[in-house]
């Protein structure tokens, strides 16, 4: 939001009113000989021709019949969120456009209480202007960006529900693109649609399944950024699909878990594997009692990841501690996998083979304590003479601490 002082500064313009040709300021389409990612050079002549024109604009007004155009111009040159990636850079914009955008937004807010209200009032007209351009989306990335930004600004559920049927075909095409920018935009626009529309409207005509099928493809995406940004709407639509399902029999969550575990096992790139482990962590609560079917897979995964401990290992350890509390009997059966892996990792950490930056010793100890708690008998059998096999006092103290934590858990 602009501060009052900022608004006051932007209003210090001459008293003469200028008629602004907003059509001239709309980002033109880019004619490409072949489908490829756009770059700054594609808009060089457009930015050069509009630079002087923008500087010449002084005081002006926005006629009511041009309000939808004004909203689009602001949207084309506004960031969707603060965490936008390099692939989402507004390469059709410039410093002059950013200055004009702020002035134009003030003008819009003079006629409406907020910019969001202007979007609500003009969304239908705005979409009608953008829709022909969205049909040629690869030539009009600025229009795709604009509609995505405006969907994030809509505050009335009814408006989104009225347009979701017309928006989905474009979103699905973006999801199928091999380029990073449209796939990121698809994830960005789906998030507010899933958040702010009634689930009944999404399940109507199987829209939730269509969106899920489009998003689940990110498991094979080459770019980790696409996977990370798409993970949130993917988890949301999965939650909508399985909301009424029983976890006693195989459900949609099980089908997704099967895909995800297989994808993690085959992944060789660290950044993508980390993103998939984060996705597993955020999806796991949806499993509920179905998690019982996936605890053996989780144990094997953690055992393997402990050998290359990094940031994502903490997510897995926290997940295992949660399951030790939720499903003690099932996690106890995995003691043959988990106990040796945890003790080995703890020993390596205490002897300096693992740096503190990769994984905290406290996380290993607390997870070991949780595993001991679910099966004290098996641990006592495996740990016989463990204190004598190492002269490292740090390791001995760490084992004692894990045992102490397991006893504290029993008192809860």
């Amino acid at each position: 939001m602009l501060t009052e002082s900022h608004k006051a500064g932007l209003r210090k313009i001459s008293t003469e009113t200028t008629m602004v040709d907003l059509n001239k300021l709309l980002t033109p389409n880019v004619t490409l000989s072949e489908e490829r990612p756009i770059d700054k050079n594609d808009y060089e002549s457009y930015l050069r021709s509009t630079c002087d024109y923008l500087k010449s604009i002084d005081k002006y007004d926005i006629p009511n019949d041009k309000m939808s155009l004004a909203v689009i111009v602001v949207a084309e040159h506004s960031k969707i969120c603060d965490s936008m990636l390099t692939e989402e850079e507004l390469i059709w914009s410039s410093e002059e456009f950013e200055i004009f955008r702020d002035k134009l937004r003030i003008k819009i807010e003079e006629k409406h209480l907020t910019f969001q209200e202007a979007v609500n009032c003009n969304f239908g007209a705005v979409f009608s202007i953008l829709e022909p351009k969205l049909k040629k989306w690869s030539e009009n990335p600025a229009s795709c960006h604009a509609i995505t930004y405006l969907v994030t600004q809509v505050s009335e559920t009814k408006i989104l529900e009225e347009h979701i049927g017309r928006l989905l075909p474009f979103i699905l095409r973006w999801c199928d693109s091999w380029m990073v920018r449209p796939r990121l935009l698809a994830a960005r626009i789906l998030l507010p649609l899933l958040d702010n529309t009634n689930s009944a409207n999404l399940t109507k005509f199987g829209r939730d399944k269509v969106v899920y099928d489009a998003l689940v493809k990110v498991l094979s995406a080459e770019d980790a950024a696409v996977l990370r940004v798409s993970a949130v709407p993917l988890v949301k639509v999965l939650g909508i699909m399985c909301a009424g399902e029983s976890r006693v029999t195989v459900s949609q969550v099980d089908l997704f878990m099967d895909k995800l575990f297989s994808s993690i096992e085959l992944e060789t790139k660290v950044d993508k594997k980390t993103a998939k482990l984060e996705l597993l962590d955020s999806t796991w609560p949806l499993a509920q009692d179905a998690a019982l079917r996936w605890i053996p897979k989780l144990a094997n995964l953690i055992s393997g990841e402990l050998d290359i401990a990094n940031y994502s290992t903490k997510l897995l350890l926290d997940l295992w501690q949660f399951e030790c509390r939720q499903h003690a009997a099932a996690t106890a059966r995995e003691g043959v996998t988990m106990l040796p892996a945890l003790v080995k990792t703890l020993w390596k950490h205490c002897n300096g083979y693992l740096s503190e930056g990769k994984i905290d010793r406290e996380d290993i100890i607390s997870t070991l304590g949780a595993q001991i708690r679910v099966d004290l008998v098996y641990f006592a059998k495996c740990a016989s003479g463990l204190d004598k096999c190492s002269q490292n006092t740090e390791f001995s103290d760490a084992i004692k601490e894990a045992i102490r934590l397991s006893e504290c858990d029993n008192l809860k």
Side-chain angles (χ1 to χ4, degrees):
M1 291 295 290
L2 296 173
T3 63
E4 289 302 319
S5 59
H6 190 187
K7 290 182 179 181
L10 292 174
R11 287 179 183 134
K12 290 181 180 178
I13 49 182
S14 70
T15 57
E16 295 183 4
T17 300
T18 304
M19 292 301 294
V20 180
D21 186 356
L22 291 170
N23 279 299
K24 183 177 181 179
L25 297 179
L26 292 178
T27 307
N29 69 308
V30 179
T31 304
L32 303 174
S33 58
E34 59 181 3
E35 189 177 85
R36 62 166 175 80
I38 56 170
D39 57 45
K40 196 80 173 177
N41 293 330
D42 294 320
Y43 295 97
E44 186 177 2
S45 59
Y46 160 68
L47 292 174
R48 188 168 53 247
S49 65
T50 55
C51 179
D52 292 337
Y53 179 65
L54 287 169
K55 289 179 180 179
S56 69
I57 299 173
D58 204 347
K59 187 172 181 179
Y60 57 92
D61 194 18
I62 307 172
N64 290 332
D65 62 342
K66 301 295 183 183
M67 185 60 67
S68 54
L69 290 175
V71 168
I72 293 173
V73 172
V74 171
E76 286 185 341
H77 300 277
S78 297
K79 290 185 177 181
I80 297 171
C81 62
D82 292 334
S83 57
M84 281 178 60
L85 305 172
T86 304
E87 294 86 350
E88 300 173 280
E89 183 182 356
L90 308 183
I91 56 179
W92 52 81
S93 192
S94 64
E95 184 179 348
E96 289 78 16
F97 261 118
E98 290 176 4
I99 294 171
F100 180 74
R101 174 202 66 200
D102 291 344
K103 292 179 179 179
L104 189 59
R105 185 160 182 149
I106 288 175
K107 285 293 180 183
I108 293 171
E109 291 177 346
E110 286 177 353
K111 298 200 172 189
H112 296 271
L113 291 176
T114 63
F115 182 74
Q116 285 75 17
E117 183 188 335
V119 174
N120 290 339
C121 294
N122 294 276
F123 192 83
V126 164
F127 188 73
S128 296
I129 295 171
L130 291 176
E131 191 171 22
K133 297 185 176 184
L134 297 178
K135 290 177 180 178
K136 297 182 178 180
W137 59 269
S138 61
E139 299 178 3
N140 294 281
S143 298
C144 300
H145 173 90
I147 194 63
T148 302
Y149 174 77
L150 292 172
V151 166
T152 67
Q153 299 298 303
V154 173
S155 58
E156 294 183 13
T157 299
K158 182 181 177 182
I159 295 173
L160 294 180
E161 291 180 344
E162 287 174 352
H163 290 85
I164 190 170
R166 294 167 67 187
L167 284 167
L168 272 181
F170 304 119
I171 297 171
L172 296 176
R173 289 174 196 142
W174 301 347
C175 286
D176 284 337
S177 175
W178 61 272
M179 295 182 288
V180 174
R181 181 187 290 270
R183 298 186 78 177
L184 291 174
L185 282 177
R188 299 284 191 200
I189 196 172
L190 279 171
L191 186 54
L193 285 174
L194 294 171
D195 275 340
N196 301 318
T197 56
N198 192 295
S199 58
N201 196 279
L202 290 167
T203 54
K204 190 176 183 181
F205 309 123
R207 287 169 177 165
D208 54 338
K209 294 181 176 62
V210 172
V211 171
Y212 169 79
D213 288 339
L215 285 175
V216 78
K217 296 175 186 176
V218 300
L219 293 179
S220 58
E222 289 296 321
D223 197 289
V226 173
L227 180 55
R228 278 201 166 88
V229 176
S230 301
V232 180
L234 175 56
V235 173
K236 284 185 180 295
V237 75
L238 182 60
I240 292 170
M241 290 177 65
C242 66
E245 288 185 334
S246 168
R247 303 299 193 273
V248 176
T249 57
V250 174
S251 65
Q252 186 64 46
V253 174
D254 291 288
L255 299 177
F256 176 74
M257 286 292 187
D258 185 49
K259 288 178 181 288
L260 183 54
F261 271 109
S262 298
S263 181
I264 291 171
E265 290 168 1
L266 295 173
E267 188 55 67
T268 57
K269 295 182 179 179
V270 175
D271 56 346
K272 287 175 63 181
K273 175 169 267 192
T274 300
K276 290 176 182 181
L277 292 175
E278 291 170 350
L279 178 57
L280 176 65
D281 180 63
S282 58
T283 308
W284 195 267
L286 295 176
Q288 299 174 14
D289 287 340
L292 287 166
R293 292 189 282 273
W294 298 101
I295 284 176
K297 277 270 192 182
L298 181 62
N300 287 326
L301 175 61
I302 295 173
S303 176
E305 290 300 307
L306 283 173
D307 287 334
I308 49 171
N310 54 32
Y311 153 74
S312 57
T313 309
K314 175 175 170 52
L315 295 177
L316 295 174
L317 293 180
D318 289 344
L319 200 54
W320 190 259
Q321 290 182 56
F322 171 79
E323 281 306 315
C324 285
R325 294 189 296 271
Q326 296 295 114
H327 301 109
T331 51
R333 287 193 291 271
E334 302 307 317
V336 67
T337 301
M338 290 299 297
L339 277 174
L342 288 168
V343 172
K344 176 184 174 182
T345 304
L346 185 57
W347 182 88
K348 288 167 68 176
H349 201 292
C350 292
N351 285 277
Y353 294 108
L354 286 177
S355 64
E356 191 72 23
K358 288 189 173 182
I359 185 172
D360 291 337
R361 187 179 303 177
E362 290 74 13
D363 293 325
I364 307 170
I365 292 172
S366 58
T367 308
L368 179 58
Q371 185 62 43
I372 294 171
R373 179 180 62 82
V374 298
D375 197 344
L376 288 167
V377 175
Y378 183 72
F379 173 74
K381 178 182 177 181
C382 294
S384 178
L386 188 62
D387 56 335
K388 299 177 182 178
C389 70
S390 176
Q391 296 181 350
N392 188 315
T393 56
E394 287 187 27
F395 176 68
S396 300
D397 290 343
I399 293 292
K400 291 176 183 177
E401 177 62 12
I403 295 172
R404 186 191 69 79
L405 288 175
S406 71
E407 293 169 347
C408 290
D409 282 344
N410 274 328
L411 294 175
K412 289 182 181 178

